[in-house]
Every structure is written in structure tokens, then in C-alpha cells.
Amino acid sequence: MKANPDRALADLYRLREIGRYKTGVHRPTLSPEDMETRHWLVGELQALGHQAGIDGIANVWSRAPGDGPFVLAGSHIESQNHAGWLDGALGVVYALEAARAAHQAGLGVVDVMAFADEEGHFSGGFIGSQSFAGQMTEAEIDTLTDRSGRGTLRELLAANGLADRERVQIDRSRYLAFFEAHIEQGQTLEASGNQIGVVTSIVAIWQYRLIFEGAQNHAGTTTMAIRRDAAAALQRVWNQIQTTFPDLAGPHSVWTAGNITLDPGQPSIIPGRAEMLFQFRDADQATLDRLHAHLQTLVTDEDRTGPCSARLEIISQTVPALMAKAPQAALKAAGEAIAPGKTLVMPSGAGHDAQVIAPHVPSAMMFVPSIGGISHHWSEDTADEDIKLGVQVYVDAVRRILTP
């Protein structure tokens, strides 16, 4: 099994033209551009003799025609709005190249997946991999609506002819391992001069809504002493988070206020309500628990001391995922064989479908560098030579698992 790096790069450049936006792409889940890429992938897999199709949640699935043992490979193929050309697509093309390499070696043993909506256009993300893993109910699907106002998930599935299709479920007994490749989306590889990242763990993401309620009133006639300013309450808690979290966090902890809303949001009106969407990430459960407890304390203290009420709502809490030792070792060995001294073992600070698959199939992730650490923006990029090197390492790691 050997990769054809030029072929993989050509595929990525082809996908870049579907939904092209500046130097990136705009390809939200179940958009015409997203569906075009999914149908393209199905055609490429069928050309290898795979059974392949798009299921009832919009996952592209395939079953290779060989006798096994089998490896599962893939990522996602949709994009964030007006975002980069490699986030997700790189992992799908690497998986396709592994399937092609296996086919050319006379081994039909690499199944390929392009999971739906890892980017979270309809939810917090991972609905495709969660469905594949048996963790997404029909009732949950009924609640999902596109965040940009395109309609419900049910409506868009129906509009694309997927409403009556079954959702494919993972056959755990079929697979030796799952491999996902991705751009790093950070600067660690570039800054250290490395070209391959072997992921040890994927962070959990804990997301919250902080809600503060005071009294809406006139901004010119209400004295400062009697104000119940919800914006001021939010600011106090945010300042306390920024001041105290560093002493409680781990070396890889990060936290973000993703959105702040003031109601009614007018210059001459004291806000009577304020909301903040907030998240933190870490791969260590004890650190996650410590940050959660402290956040709850900060909000409870603000509620007790007033003058505004404050409460904390949990939106979602994922579980940290450790990558499996055998496929990790295969990636490390492939990296050292093909790019000696250029492989770095590291955690992932972003969430990926591999964290959903990991409890069901031994999983591994591989990173290639992101120029400037930029992602989720149309200027996201990776050098061609890093893309081509990465696919060689990826395919060789799959080979090592299949033929130890």
C-alpha cells in the first residue's frame, strides 16, 4: 500500500472549487455544494468496488469488498460558513487515498466515512458520527434547526432526498482501527518545525449559558446607586473568570466567551437582561470538574450578592477521548519512517469525530501543520508539501495496522 500524493492533492484542489469562497469554501451541511461533494465521494468509492451511499443523516458510508480485516477511515466534508478548504476535507481525501492504495494492492479493506455536520450547523456538532455510533435518536433529530435559518434538519434532509433512508450504524466487530487526519488548526507543529502530529487525546468541550437579570430602565435618569444593570453583572463574572481560571486550569486549558447579548441592546437603555455563551476545553477530567465547580461558585456568588439575579445553564458537556495505543504507534512509526525527526506527539485542542468513534473502535488522529495556526476562516491553508507528506504517513500507518 502506497499513497499517490499528487492524486490526493488534486482531489483537494477539486473539492476547493465546490462552494469556493475567496481562498476557502462556503459549504454548510446539506447545502447544494455540500451534497455535490458527497455525491462525488460516493462515485469515487463505487469506482473502487465499494458499496457506498448517503444515509438518512447525510453520512457518506462505504463497505470495501475484501475479506478483511478492515480499517475505518474518514472525517467530515462540510465546512463552517465562509471558512477554510482543508478543515474536514483533508481527512476525507486521505481516507479515500488509503482506500485507493488498498485497492491497488489487491486489498479491499478500507471503509471510508464522511460524517455529517461535524461543524455543528444543526447542533453542537458530531450528529453524523453520533448517529453512526448509535447515540442519536429520532426524537433528537426532530429538534434540530439550522443555525443560519435555512430550516430544520428534517426539512433539509427531505429536500435532498434523504428523508426515507436508514441511518447506517457502526459494526464494531468489523474494524481493527479508525483513523482520522486533520489540519492542526493551531500553531504547535509550525512553531516547533514538525510536520506530523500524532494525537494522544481529544479535549472535552463544556459549554454554558450564563444569564443575568436586572431591571431595564432609562440610562439618563436612573442613578448609578440604584441601578440593576445586567451588563455590569455579566462583566463582573467575566472579569472574575479571567482572573481566577489561570490558577485552576491545566497546561492545555482554554476558555472563551463566544457571544454576549444585552437586552434590549440600545444606547440609552440600561440592560435588564444579559447572556453570555461560554465554553472551556481540556482533556483532563479532574481539570474539567474543577473549572466547572469554580464557574458555578462565581455565578452563585453573583446571584447571592446582587443586585441582579444570575444563573448557569449547561448546554453540553462532552467527554475527553484518549486515542488507542496500537494505531497511535502505527502513526508514530510511519511518521519516523517517512519524515524522520519531524513527528510530534500532542493533544488535540479541537473536537473531532474521532472522539465519538473512540469508545467503539480503537481510534487515532494525525495532524498536519496549519499555516499561521489559522482555521475556521477562508484564509486557512497548509503547504502542498505538508499535505503530500501527510497522506504518505497516513496510508503507511493504515498499512502497518493491517499488516503488523
Side-chain angles (χ1 to χ4, degrees):
M1 286 180 58
K2 287 190 177 181
N4 182 330
D6 291 324
R7 179 172 58 190
L9 185 62
D11 281 343
L12 284 167
Y13 272 98
R14 177 177 181 174
L15 291 178
R16 190 181 199 172
E17 297 305 314
I18 302 175
R20 188 180 183 99
Y21 176 80
K22 297 186 179 180
T23 59
V25 297
H26 178 66
R27 208 161 57 216
T29 308
L30 291 169
S31 65
E33 295 80 10
D34 175 50
M35 291 305 297
E36 183 179 345
T37 64
R38 293 180 191 277
H39 286 295
W40 169 83
L41 179 59
V42 169
E44 295 297 313
L45 291 165
Q46 289 176 340
L48 300 178
H50 287 224
Q51 298 178 46
I54 306 173
D55 77 355
I57 200 76
N59 284 335
V60 176
W61 60 273
S62 82
R63 289 177 71 89
D67 297 324
F70 295 92
V71 163
L72 181 66
S75 189
H76 63 95
I77 206 165
E78 81 283 336
S79 77
Q80 286 279 358
N81 291 334
H82 307 109
W85 66 293
L86 292 167
D87 180 357
L90 178 127
V92 171
V93 168
Y94 277 20
L96 174 61
E97 187 58 32
R100 286 171 173 160
H103 173 76
Q104 290 171 347
L107 305 168
V109 292
V110 179
D111 292 357
V112 175
M113 293 287 299
F115 296 111
D117 204 38
E118 189 268 359
E119 295 291 6
H121 289 277
F122 293 91
S123 68
F126 313 120
I127 63 172
S129 51
Q130 287 179 347
S131 173
F132 188 58
Q135 298 168 209
M136 178 68 59
T137 68
E138 294 296 321
E140 288 172 314
I141 293 173
D142 288 338
T143 68
L144 300 179
T145 299
D146 173 62
R147 69 189 184 204
S148 300
R150 294 181 296 139
T152 68
L153 178 57
R154 291 289 192 196
E155 289 168 345
L156 288 170
L157 287 169
N160 286 287
L162 304 177
D164 298 324
R165 299 192 186 185
E166 292 185 5
R167 292 188 285 128
V168 173
Q169 303 285 297
I170 192 169
D171 178 357
R172 295 166 179 80
S173 65
R174 181 175 170 88
Y175 299 116
L176 294 175
F178 169 65
F179 285 90
E180 182 173 7
H182 213 277
I183 56 170
E184 183 197 342
Q185 302 179 283
Q187 290 183 287
T188 301
L189 289 174
E190 184 182 61
S192 63
N194 287 289
Q195 292 177 286
I196 300 294
V198 178
V199 174
T200 55
S201 59
I202 301 175
V203 296
I205 305 173
W206 288 19
Q207 302 192 83
Y208 302 86
R209 181 178 290 106
L210 283 67
I211 302 168
F212 305 86
E213 294 183 296
Q216 179 178 322
N217 214 331
H218 196 292
T221 61
T222 308
T223 65
M224 301 305 291
I226 66 170
R227 290 188 181 203
R228 296 176 59 213
D229 186 338
L234 183 151
Q235 182 186 27
R236 277 193 297 274
V237 172
W238 175 238
N239 286 341
Q240 290 170 339
I241 288 171
Q242 292 288 69
T243 301
T244 60
F245 262 43
D247 293 331
L248 300 169
H252 300 291
S253 300
V254 293
W255 53 93
T256 306
N259 183 267
I260 291 174
T261 305
L262 305 181
D263 184 17
Q266 297 298 319
S268 295
I269 303 175
I270 300 164
R273 180 183 173 94
E275 290 190 8
M276 177 169 65
L277 297 181
F278 176 72
Q279 68 166 232
F280 54 78
R281 304 182 183 210
D282 203 279
D284 177 65
Q285 187 65 48
T287 301
L288 293 165
D289 291 338
R290 188 166 61 247
L291 294 177
H292 171 82
H294 184 64
L295 179 64
Q296 182 67 71
T297 297
L298 293 178
V299 174
T300 300
D301 287 349
E302 180 66 29
D303 183 66
R304 186 181 68 254
T305 58
C308 297
S309 67
R311 69 180 188 272
L312 182 69
E313 293 182 356
I314 298 172
I315 297 174
S316 61
Q317 294 178 325
T318 62
V319 177
L322 295 178
M323 298 295 96
K325 292 186 182 301
Q328 261 194 84
L331 281 171
K332 283 190 272 188
E336 287 303 323
I338 294 169
K342 295 292 184 178
T343 298
L344 180 68
V345 176
M346 60 186 293
S348 170
H352 299 284
D353 288 305
Q355 71 192 78
V356 179
I357 303 303
H360 308 283
V361 175
S363 298
M365 279 205 74
M366 188 196 83
F367 286 158
V368 295
S370 294
I371 295 174
I374 297 171
S375 187
H376 286 190
H377 187 267
W378 54 264
S379 62
E380 162 194 289
D381 206 4
T382 294
D384 287 356
E385 56 267 30
D386 286 334
I387 293 172
K388 292 166 72 171
L389 177 71
V391 75
Q392 294 177 75
V393 173
Y394 183 91
V395 170
D396 191 57
V398 172
R399 176 192 67 79
R400 289 168 185 270
I401 281 290
L402 290 168
T403 57

